[in-house]
Structures are given as structure tokens and as C-alpha cells.
Amino acid sequence: MSASYISPNSELPATGFLILLVCLAFVGVTFTLLCVFERERWRMYAVLGVIASVLILFAAFLLIGTGTVQSGGTLTPCPTALQGIQLEPVPGKDLPGGIAECRDISQRNAVFAGVATVLGVGIAVGGILSRQRCARSAVSR
């Protein structure tokens, strides 16, 4: 820990990656079952499953972080996005330039990762709803 900023020790990074893992498992199981039960449209569900999985993997990549940021000719190591959003200056001091930039990048990456995860899970839920809608229309015929 540096003398100019505080990096809280929390369970947020582990919890965030666990949530991504659960979302990825949900998407994988959902589209595997949709491909098995909807044999006529399995290609569409396979493509949607790949898109949803890539979105969630992209979110995980964003949460890993940028690695380093160049600030004033020096390389500043950055924590993961979920650790970086928690960086706070020591009372009475400002964050160093590189650390402030890491925090800004972490906040942006956390927002984009959240959007990508919601989109991935939304595609899976949309696939389930479309199957139910198609099943109801087939029964009513």
C-alpha cells in the first residue's frame, strides 16, 4: 500500500468473477438445452449462445484490468477493475496521476463489463422466451 492512496481489502473482486462464472454457466446450459430441444433452429441458438458467451468473456477480460498506465514517463501498475474502483486518496492528499487514471479506467471498464454481462444474460433469457413463444404458437395451430 502506498502512502498516497488506500486500497481496501474486500471480497468484491472474487464476488464479481464468481458472478461472471455463474452467468457464463447459465448461458452455456441454456443454449445447450435450446439446441438439443429445438432441433429445427439449433443453428440460430448456437450462434446466439456463442455471442452471449463472448460478451460475458469480454466482461471478464475488462474486469482483469489494463495492467499498467504510463504517467509522467513512468509505468504505474493497475489493479483489476473491481479493485481499482475502490482506490481512495488518503485524507488530505490527492491521488497520484497514474493511480487516478487507473481508477478512472477501472470505473469505465466495470460499467462496460456490467453492460456486456447484462446483454449476454439478456440474450439467453430472450432465447428461452422465444422458445416458449414458438411452443405456444405451435400448440395453438
Side-chain angles (χ1 to χ4, degrees):
M1 180 163 95
S2 175
S4 58
Y5 66 94
I6 301 169
S7 180
N9 189 10
S10 73
E11 298 298 320
L12 185 61
T15 304
F17 285 110
L18 183 62
I19 289 170
L20 281 178
L21 183 64
V22 168
C23 290
L24 188 60
F26 171 73
V27 165
V29 169
T30 298
F31 283 106
T32 300
L33 291 174
L34 285 172
C35 288
V36 167
F37 291 124
E38 292 292 327
R39 294 178 190 240
E40 294 174 0
R41 295 190 317 250
W42 70 270
R43 285 183 185 95
M44 176 189 69
Y45 286 125
V47 169
L48 287 174
V50 168
I51 291 169
S53 298
V54 166
L55 281 169
I56 294 174
L57 291 173
F58 176 68
F61 176 74
L62 284 175
L63 291 182
I64 289 173
T66 58
T68 58
V69 171
Q70 188 165 1
S71 174
T74 62
L75 288 177
T76 303
C78 291
T80 66
L82 293 175
Q83 290 171 330
I85 61 175
Q86 299 176 3
L87 295 175
E88 300 173 1
V90 170
K93 293 187 177 182
D94 291 332
L95 282 175
I99 298 299
E101 189 174 343
C102 282
R103 184 175 66 175
D104 294 341
I105 290 170
S106 296
Q107 290 171 345
R108 184 197 66 211
N109 285 352
V111 168
F112 286 148
V115 169
T117 302
V118 168
L119 283 174
V121 172
I123 290 172
V125 171
I128 293 170
L129 294 176
S130 74
R131 181 184 186 277
Q132 290 175 346
R133 192 173 30 249
C134 292
R136 272 188 265 138
S137 66
V139 169
S140 65
R141 288 183 189 171

